[in-house]
Each structure stands twice: as C-alpha cells, then as structure tokens.
Amino acid sequence: MKNGGKALFSRPLDYLREIWNWVELLVITMGCSVLASYFSTQSIIDDVTEHLTTGASAFHLYKRAASWFQVYTYLLGFLVCCTTLKFVRLLRFNSHVHALTMTMRRSLKPITYFVFVVSIILLAFILLANLTLGSSISDYKNLSSSLQSLLVMMLGSFDFDALSEGHRLFGPLIFFVYQVVMQVVLLNMFITILNDVYENEAQIANTEDLKFIEFLKETTFEAAKKVRTLSYGVRRNKSPTERVNSSDMVLQMNSIFIEV
C-alpha cells in the first residue's frame, strides 16, 4: 500500500495507465472497505448484546447488523475475486500469458466500438420484440423484460412454442433472425477481433521478463557447475565409501537443479 501510494502521487498518469495498478487500487479499496464493514457490524452486534442484557428491545439493531453483514459479504467476495486475478500478474514471465494480457489491453478499443454496435442492434431487436410480441407474451411486455428474454435466448434458453403462439409469422422470424445475427455474425466478429490482436501480440516478445528468466537459468546452471567442480575435488580426498555417498548426493542435487 505504501509503495503504491508513492507511485500514484509521484507519477499519477503513468501509474494509472497500467491496468494492474487499477486492480491494485481496487484491492486496497476493497480491503479497507471490508475492514470498515466488519468493525461496523461487530459494533452493532455488541450494541445488541448490551440491549439484551438490559432487557431493552433490539429488533431494529438486528436489521442493521444483517444489512451490514450482507455488505461485508459482498465486499469480501469482490476482494477475493480481485486478489485471485492478481495471480495472472505473477505469471507474466510466461510468453503466452504475456501475449494474453497484452491482447486484453490492445483489444479494449476495438471491443468498445464493437460493443457499441452490438448495443444498437440489440436495441433494435428489443423494440421489435416488445412491439410485436408484448401484447401476447408476458416476457416481452416491456423493454426490461424484452432485454432479459433476448439475452437468455442468446444463451440457449427459450420457449419456441410460446413465440409461435404469440405470433405465427413474426415470432419464429424474430427468433431465427436474432439467433443468426447474434450467434453467427456478431460472435464470429468478436472472435476475429481477439484473434487478430492475439496474433499480433504473440509475435512481440516480452524482452525484459524473458531476459530475467534467462538470467535465472544461467545463474542456476552456473551454480550447478560450481557444485559439481567442488564435489569432484572433494571426492579425490575421500575413501571409496564416502565417494559413493557423495556421488549420490551430487546426483540428487543435479536432478533438483534440472527441475528448477
């Protein structure tokens, strides 16, 4: 928290350009909020205990305690989620993970434009379903229920018989056109956008992190060579039994360095 605060106040623009810094700020904010909600809930529970010991009514405090505990649970869930996502940051030395994170970063702008276009197309289908099927099917009686029904339909949950009964022509026609546009056209366009960005980023190596990994490998192998040299020099001055034991130890150490 201290290092993050220094970096934020010393160079705020550079610090906020990195998405993982936003995750770090979110983790810090969530952590402080979780602590605050926990102590608030605990204080209310202490007040409830005091009221019960004195015989006073504490029903209103029960409701406050339950509400704060619910807030605490929600914040804790978001905190655990963000903390788990930080493990991806630890795997940035891997070239594939680096390409994945860079793909997410570079594809933000084209995906934003894509989502804007998808929203307009989805709004058109919402209005169409609400005007043509709203009077006969309760799932399309208003815009919010129409949006929910179309999103669920895109995931594969729908009642085709109800659509046919709502309107013999427009019900099946809206269903088929909507599925083709969403599942075939727009979904393939989304995959194509991610694929193009990933192919471009996969060719760009993360030179700094990869150099660090190469440095670790070279240092490990140099240490293994030094251990071998020292062990061979010591073996010459030992008895045959001690040589066998030391050779077994050297083999074990070599296997450990190879695994590393």
Side-chain angles (χ1 to χ4, degrees):
M1 184 184 297
K2 182 178 180 181
N3 295 331
K6 288 182 178 180
L8 177 61
F9 288 108
S10 61
R11 42 185 182 85
L13 295 179
D14 295 335
Y15 183 82
L16 295 177
R17 288 176 183 174
E18 182 68 30
I19 187 173
W20 292 110
N21 293 334
W22 283 95
V23 176
E24 186 70 25
L25 291 176
L26 187 60
V27 168
I28 295 173
T29 305
M30 287 293 176
C32 296
S33 302
V34 167
L35 290 176
S37 60
Y38 173 79
F39 288 117
S40 178
T41 305
Q42 193 63 38
S43 64
I44 296 174
I45 293 175
D46 294 338
D47 293 339
V48 171
T49 304
E50 292 179 0
H51 279 73
L52 292 178
T53 53
T54 57
S57 176
F59 179 76
H60 63 287
L61 295 178
Y62 280 114
K63 186 176 181 180
R64 285 181 57 193
S67 300
W68 275 108
F69 183 77
Q70 191 174 12
V71 172
Y72 165 77
T73 306
Y74 293 154
L75 293 175
L76 184 61
F78 282 107
L79 177 62
V80 172
C81 178
C82 295
T83 306
T84 306
L85 288 176
K86 287 182 63 178
F87 282 104
V88 179
R89 177 69 173 173
L90 300 177
L91 300 175
R92 66 186 183 276
F93 300 111
N94 186 280
S95 59
H96 298 287
V97 177
H98 173 73
L100 177 61
T101 54
M102 292 302 295
T103 299
M104 295 173 61
R105 182 186 302 177
R106 299 294 176 84
S107 61
L108 181 61
K109 185 176 181 179
I111 287 179
T112 303
Y113 296 149
F114 176 78
V115 170
F116 179 73
V117 176
V118 171
S119 302
I120 295 176
I121 296 175
L122 183 60
L123 178 61
F125 279 102
I126 290 172
L127 295 175
L128 177 62
N130 176 250
L131 293 175
T132 56
L133 304 175
S135 59
S136 56
I137 303 177
S138 60
D139 292 338
Y140 303 94
K141 60 183 178 180
N142 51 42
L143 296 181
S144 61
S145 61
S146 300
L147 173 61
Q148 182 179 357
S149 300
L150 290 177
L151 292 178
V152 172
M153 182 189 297
M154 188 169 56
L155 297 177
S157 178
F158 54 87
D159 189 359
F160 186 77
D161 294 334
L163 293 174
S164 300
E165 292 176 359
H167 198 284
R168 184 175 300 178
L169 175 61
F170 290 111
L173 182 62
I174 293 174
F175 171 77
F176 285 114
V177 173
Y178 177 77
Q179 292 287 8
V180 168
V181 172
M182 291 294 178
Q183 300 286 353
V184 178
V185 179
L186 296 179
L187 183 60
N188 288 326
M189 290 177 63
F190 178 75
I191 296 174
T192 303
I193 293 172
L194 292 180
N195 188 34
D196 291 339
V197 178
Y198 180 80
E199 288 181 355
N200 295 331
E201 293 299 330
Q203 298 175 358
I204 303 175
N206 189 6
T207 55
E208 295 181 358
D209 294 337
L210 294 180
K211 286 180 180 179
F212 179 72
I213 293 297
E214 292 296 331
F215 172 75
L216 289 179
K217 290 181 180 179
E218 292 177 359
T219 306
T220 304
F221 282 117
E222 288 178 0
K225 290 180 180 179
K226 291 180 180 180
V227 171
R228 290 178 185 176
T229 304
L230 293 175
S231 62
Y232 290 152
V234 173
R235 284 181 59 191
R236 295 177 181 178
N237 300 324
K238 290 184 178 181
S239 61
T241 305
E242 292 177 345
R243 290 180 182 179
V244 173
N245 294 331
S246 62
S247 63
D248 294 337
M249 183 180 64
V250 171
L251 291 175
Q252 293 178 0
M253 294 180 66
N254 290 335
S255 62
I256 292 173
F257 280 118
I258 291 172
E259 291 179 358
V260 173

